[in-house]
Amino acid sequence: MRALRIHKFGGPDNLKLEDIPIPSVGDSEILVRVHAAGINPVDTYIREGAYAALPKLPAILGKEIAGEVEDVGEGVSSVKKGDRVFAFLPENGGYAEYVACQQANVYPLSEKLTFSQGSGLCVPYFTAYRALVTKCHIKPGEILLVHGASGAVGIAAVQIAKAYGLTVAGTAGSIEGMDLVKKVGADHVFNHGEKGYLNNAVAAIGGRGFNVVLENLANVNLGADLTVLDQHARVAVVGCRGTVEVNPRSLMLTEGSIIGVMLAGATKEEAEETAEAILNGIDSGWVNPVVAQEYMLDEAAQAHHDIIHNSGARGKLVFKL
Ligand SMILES: NC(=O)c1ccc[n+]([C@@H]2O[C@H](COP(=O)([O-])OP(=O)(O)OC[C@H]3O[C@@H](n4cnc5c(N)ncnc54)[C@H](OP(=O)(O)O)[C@@H]3O)[C@@H](O)[C@H]2O)c1
């Protein structure tokens, strides 16, 4: 099979397209013929060797895929050959034509979604759900700021929060991104490149501040987030690429909390609850991933450049196989 592998940690040129054997399936595993593999910022952190959990080399990157069941292990009864599925790959492996997935991490893919959409469910939607529902305990009627709403996690957060009855303000860095954030359901949209946008956001929601903030770039925004909170607000730190200075006094005034979010930190029970909610959301129609761009495997270096360096996000980047 064709697979993108790295033999050493470093820049995008280390992603090598190679022919390697199709993996065998263990007893509790499902072999999936991959039709689309989600590309996530974390794949680039791993590729660089700048992540806490690094794989043994050579390694195939990729945390999430969608495709069709090719084969199942002896202990698997949940799916059969030919079923459409999507899957989470905690140990990576998605950038390949076939991947052996743990049964517990494989979910049925509705006909309502394309394979490319399906490859953008497990990381963005499960993370946004963890941030908003599991960690911040969002309630109907609350007001949420999604700081960085035009990317994969941000769009998921907007869709989840609207389904849970919140008022949502989202930010993007381009006109196209702002249009998209509005289209996926945000009540208010602001450009995080414009001076004074947070003050405008607070004014738009009536001046009291936000009950919840989902922060996708904490190293830039966390200090400012703490100045736009209502009493007892929660700030979920989902994305962070460096250090930041904050004034804790803002938290004292509102008795607010900053909560770190890590998808990999979910317990088995939390992962099951999350999956059930997202599968229900797909059935009901409010979970609807937006694919910004599909890449071929031989465009891997470009794809890894784009996911980190491109501004003006418009949803999810995926490999189409
Ligand atoms: N904690 C976890 O378990 C977990 C799980 C998944 C992802 N993450 C992290 O979450 C972050 C988002 O992931 P993603 O897949 O959604 O990435 P993505 O699709 O590349 O989206 C990045 C988002 O950040 C926005 N952004 C850029 N500059 C910003 C600024 N100054 N202020 C606010 N937002 C800004 C982008 O908006 P424009 O391009 O429109 O400017 C875009 O909406 C990444 O850092 C990722 O590593 C963490």
Side-chain angles (χ1 to χ4, degrees):
M1 67 170 186
R2 290 182 315 138
L4 276 173
R5 291 206 298 185
I6 55 168
H7 291 261
K8 60 183 169 63
F9 298 112
D13 291 344
N14 287 296
L15 291 160
K16 305 288 182 203
L17 188 52
E18 298 175 339
D19 256 314
I20 59 170
I22 293 173
S24 52
V25 274
D27 276 359
S28 62
E29 287 183 333
I30 295 167
L31 183 70
V32 179
R33 166 70 176 96
V34 178
H35 288 289
I39 302 165
N40 285 289
V42 71
D43 304 339
T44 71
Y45 315 152
I46 295 172
R47 190 206 68 230
E48 294 279 1
Y51 195 66
L54 292 175
K56 281 198 193 116
L57 299 177
I60 303 171
L61 304 179
K63 293 276 183 199
E64 55 183 341
I65 55 100
E68 286 171 288
V69 173
E70 180 69 22
D71 196 7
V72 297
E74 282 187 4
V76 174
S77 55
S78 54
V79 293
K80 59 180 187 323
K81 186 172 163 64
D83 283 358
R84 286 162 53 91
V85 293
F86 66 97
F88 179 49
L89 305 166
E91 304 299 330
N92 310 298
Y95 295 0
E97 285 177 326
Y98 294 88
V99 60
C101 312
Q102 277 298 326
Q103 168 173 225
N105 299 324
V106 176
Y107 310 98
L109 179 64
S110 163
E111 293 284 350
K112 288 183 179 178
L113 300 183
T114 64
F115 288 117
S116 289
Q117 287 180 298
S119 74
L121 290 166
C122 282
V123 175
Y125 281 81
F126 285 33
T127 300
Y129 183 92
R130 182 162 185 76
L132 297 177
V133 182
T134 312
K135 292 292 179 183
C136 290
H137 308 291
I138 53 171
K139 293 187 270 299
E142 288 193 313
I143 309 177
L144 166 72
L145 172 66
V146 182
H147 221 158
S150 50
V153 174
I155 287 170
V158 173
Q159 291 177 353
I160 291 167
K162 287 312 297 176
Y164 279 68
L166 279 77
T167 295
V168 179
T171 75
S174 68
I175 301 284
E176 295 79 7
M178 290 173 70
D179 287 347
L180 177 62
V181 172
K182 189 90 184 163
K183 197 170 147 205
V184 297
D187 302 281
H188 309 279
V189 186
F190 301 91
N191 188 327
H192 47 234
E194 276 178 21
K195 205 162 177 270
Y197 73 96
L198 276 182
N199 291 338
N200 296 340
V202 171
I205 59 162
R208 281 186 59 91
F210 293 94
N211 304 112
V212 180
V213 177
L214 186 149
E215 182 51 66
N216 274 317
L217 200 57
N219 52 302
V220 174
N221 296 320
L222 191 60
D225 288 339
L226 303 191
T227 68
V228 295
L229 304 181
D230 198 357
Q231 286 302 112
H232 307 130
R234 293 85 77 202
V235 181
V237 175
V238 170
C240 186
R241 293 181 183 162
T243 58
V244 60
E245 189 174 310
V246 301
N247 185 348
R249 185 165 285 274
S250 319
L251 278 183
M252 293 158 65
L253 289 173
T254 56
E255 295 198 308
S257 319
I258 303 172
I259 304 168
V261 177
M262 184 54 80
L263 175 60
T267 62
K268 184 171 169 285
E269 291 73 24
E270 286 170 342
E272 283 169 4
E273 187 214 302
T274 303
E276 192 182 334
I278 298 306
L279 289 169
N280 285 339
I282 296 169
D283 278 348
S284 309
W286 56 262
V287 167
N288 194 12
V290 177
V291 176
Q293 195 164 345
E294 294 169 333
Y295 297 84
M296 297 295 128
L297 285 183
D298 60 9
E299 298 172 305
Q302 186 65 50
H304 266 216
H305 173 274
D306 292 351
I307 188 113
I308 292 299
H309 298 292
N310 273 9
S311 56
R314 287 173 294 105
K316 180 82 189 164
L317 308 188
V318 307
F319 286 117
K320 199 164 163 56
L321 288 95

